[in-house]
Amino acid sequence: MNLEELLLQARAGDEHAVTDILELYKPLLIKASVLDGSFDEDLYQELCIVLLKCINQFKI
């Protein structure tokens, strides 16, 4: 399944699609959550929330 299909399903309320998007971007979110060589769990959670909010804003 491609990203466009996942986004459309996530917008329609499919929780599995939302989970798939989070898993797809998880490595990038983890990388962005490392500050001074240390993983920041709070930052990771905030980035996940931002990603969830952005799902409805992606232009398809």
Side-chain angles (χ1 to χ4, degrees):
M1 182 177 303
N2 65 31
L3 183 59
E4 181 178 347
E5 291 172 354
L6 280 175
L7 285 171
L8 290 172
Q9 290 178 0
R11 285 182 180 179
D14 184 346
E15 291 181 20
H16 182 69
V18 172
T19 303
D20 287 347
I21 292 171
L22 281 171
E23 287 298 316
L24 181 66
Y25 283 94
K26 187 174 185 175
L28 181 62
L29 296 172
I30 289 172
K31 181 179 177 182
S33 300
V34 175
L35 299 174
D36 297 325
S38 175
F39 180 71
D40 186 332
E41 179 72 28
D42 291 334
L43 178 56
Y44 175 75
Q45 291 177 2
E46 289 295 323
L47 291 173
C48 288
I49 291 168
V50 170
L51 177 60
L52 292 172
K53 289 179 180 178
C54 288
I55 287 175
N56 291 323
Q57 297 175 358
F58 279 116
K59 302 231 188 240
I60 299 176

